[in-house]
Amino acid sequence: MKWMTRLRNSYSTKLIVFFTLLNFFCILLSSASFYFLLRNQVYDNYAVSVDDTAAQIRAEIDRKMDEIKRIADMFIFDQSFHAAVSKEYAGIERQNFLNDYLLPKEKTALVLSDMQLFLNLYLNNGSVPEYYHIRSDHADTAPRKKFGVMHTARIADKPYYQALYANPDFIVWEQVEEDAEFGSISLLAKLANFSSNTDSGMLRIVVSLDELFGNTMPENFQQKVYYSITDAAGRVIYINQDFPEEQDHHFTAEQTLAKGGYTVRLSMPHSNISKGLSAVLRNVSLIALFCFLATFLMALGFRRILYHNIDSIVDGIREFQSGNYEARISGVGSD
């Protein structure tokens, strides 16, 4: 059709098409650049946040371990306790010492912590009677606030007991006996009488892995956090929840605990921030579309204003070309 041919060959149409494409390219480039710069900035900030989260988890676990260590210190540095457990007891005095001194001391120590702990004294003094609980089934996976007294003769041949006294440190954290089976870990502490330079025995405080390594984040923390605890040998002893398969799309961080040589390996998925970035992308796309339509309409208006007088002149020339010498061109102003 004639009007389509005219439109296609029109200089103004070519100009508006060129201007529209140039405008579209500029808006697309600026919008994409803004989005990717913002995304990279968010990722960088989030990586720092992941490191901070790992440090927060480490600090909370260190706090719990320190709390248990303070309980152990009540026995390690109490020289009156060492003097009492080094005496020989006979007859009714044996039971009175257990009931009136040892068991109340253990019970009082456990009150200092909100965690569910199992405290056991292993004493070299065979004249002190034993008192202990038997964990006989797998249902008892988390130790309650229990306490007991046993003789070191029961564990004298155990590798962990021998390793403890060969270790220069007074306190070690290790999974011993049934800990791995019941999902717990133990603080082992030497009981040394510094006054007489003799050994009184060993203290063992058992805490469940969930109690010690779990519940490290605030209740209102809405983001997904996956972390594991590995020992000095690289064995994973605790996972707070199963990791998703796509670990390549996770932010990761590591923190070493202050005690025991344990390491916190933390992972936080991209999905924690992908929803926010998707909303940004959607808003940027809508703004870019609005800008494109607005400038396109402005270009059409500009074309209409600019070419109105030029079209009048062109129409007058065509009239002269057709032989109409009476035609006049009016209303074109200075054009």
Side-chain angles (χ1 to χ4, degrees), residues 27-301:
I27 292 177
L28 180 64
L29 179 63
S30 60
S31 300
S33 300
F34 170 77
Y35 171 74
F36 285 109
L37 287 173
L38 176 63
R39 189 187 69 169
N40 292 338
Q41 186 66 37
V42 170
Y43 279 2
D44 291 342
N45 292 339
Y46 195 71
V48 175
S49 176
V50 170
D51 290 334
D52 291 343
T53 302
Q56 180 179 347
I57 292 174
R58 182 211 63 202
E60 178 62 15
I61 296 175
D62 283 341
R63 183 195 65 79
K64 293 179 181 180
M65 297 177 89
D66 285 338
E67 184 176 306
I68 297 174
K69 180 183 178 297
R70 283 194 293 271
I71 295 175
D73 289 343
M74 294 180 61
F75 296 87
I76 295 173
F77 299 108
D78 187 352
Q79 292 306 300
S80 61
F81 161 77
H82 289 287
V85 298
S86 63
K87 295 179 181 179
E88 292 293 325
Y89 297 94
I92 192 64
E93 187 181 17
R94 298 173 67 247
Q95 197 63 38
N96 289 340
F97 176 68
L98 175 69
N99 295 335
D100 298 340
Y101 181 78
L102 281 183
L103 297 184
K105 182 175 178 64
E106 290 183 293
K107 186 175 182 180
T108 301
L110 290 175
V111 172
L112 299 179
S113 174
D114 293 331
M115 290 180 281
Q116 300 297 322
L117 305 175
F118 184 92
L119 190 153
N120 212 348
L121 282 170
Y122 290 90
L123 300 177
N124 292 338
N125 189 348
S127 68
V128 177
E130 293 185 315
Y131 175 91
Y132 55 89
H133 298 268
I134 298 176
R135 298 171 71 181
S136 57
D137 56 67
H138 292 268
D140 189 16
T141 56
R144 301 293 182 250
K145 287 195 174 182
K146 297 178 181 178
F147 43 88
V149 177
M150 303 176 73
H151 297 151
T152 53
R154 292 178 175 270
I155 59 171
D157 59 343
K158 300 288 186 180
Y160 66 84
Y161 177 75
Q162 297 171 357
L164 174 66
Y165 273 90
N167 195 318
D169 297 328
F170 266 77
I171 290 177
V172 298
W173 286 88
E174 188 177 352
Q175 284 188 307
V176 299
E177 299 288 354
E178 71 283 1
D179 282 339
E181 180 182 0
F182 287 106
S184 56
I185 191 171
S186 296
L187 177 148
L188 307 177
K190 300 176 188 178
L191 296 178
N193 190 334
F194 300 113
S195 299
S196 60
N197 198 25
T198 58
D199 295 329
S200 301
M202 186 189 80
L203 172 69
R204 179 187 176 194
I205 303 178
V206 184
V207 58
S208 74
L209 295 175
D210 284 331
E211 190 87 38
L212 183 61
F213 298 128
N215 301 321
T216 57
M217 302 303 299
E219 293 183 0
N220 59 350
F221 194 78
Q222 301 296 324
Q223 299 183 0
K224 295 179 181 178
V225 178
Y226 307 94
Y227 65 90
S228 62
I229 308 296
T230 57
D231 60 16
R235 295 186 298 265
V236 177
I237 64 172
Y238 178 79
I239 298 177
N240 74 320
Q241 54 183 311
D242 292 335
F243 283 73
E245 295 181 359
E246 300 83 7
Q247 294 195 38
D248 291 340
H249 303 290
H250 284 55
F251 296 92
T252 59
E254 287 190 7
Q255 291 281 332
T256 301
L257 299 180
K259 299 174 179 63
Y262 294 96
T263 301
V264 179
R265 287 189 169 88
L266 177 138
S267 179
M268 296 177 70
H270 281 193
S271 59
N272 284 350
I273 57 176
S274 61
K275 292 181 179 179
L277 287 176
S278 297
V280 170
L281 179 60
R282 182 172 60 253
N283 292 334
V284 168
S285 300
L286 291 175
I287 293 173
L289 179 61
F290 172 79
C291 291
F292 173 73
L293 292 176
T295 53
F296 179 71
L297 293 176
M298 291 172 62
L300 290 178

Side-chain angles (χ1 to χ4, degrees), residues 285-334:
S285 300
L286 291 175
I287 293 173
L289 179 61
F290 172 79
C291 291
F292 173 73
L293 292 176
T295 53
F296 179 71
L297 293 176
M298 291 172 62
L300 290 178
F302 176 73
R303 173 193 175 278
R304 184 178 181 86
I305 295 172
L306 179 64
Y307 283 95
H308 174 73
N309 290 343
I310 296 177
D311 287 342
S312 299
I313 296 173
V314 172
D315 290 341
I317 293 175
R318 288 197 180 100
E319 289 294 324
F320 279 105
Q321 287 177 334
S322 64
N324 183 10
Y325 300 113
E326 301 297 327
R328 295 292 182 267
I329 302 175
S330 61
V332 296
S334 60

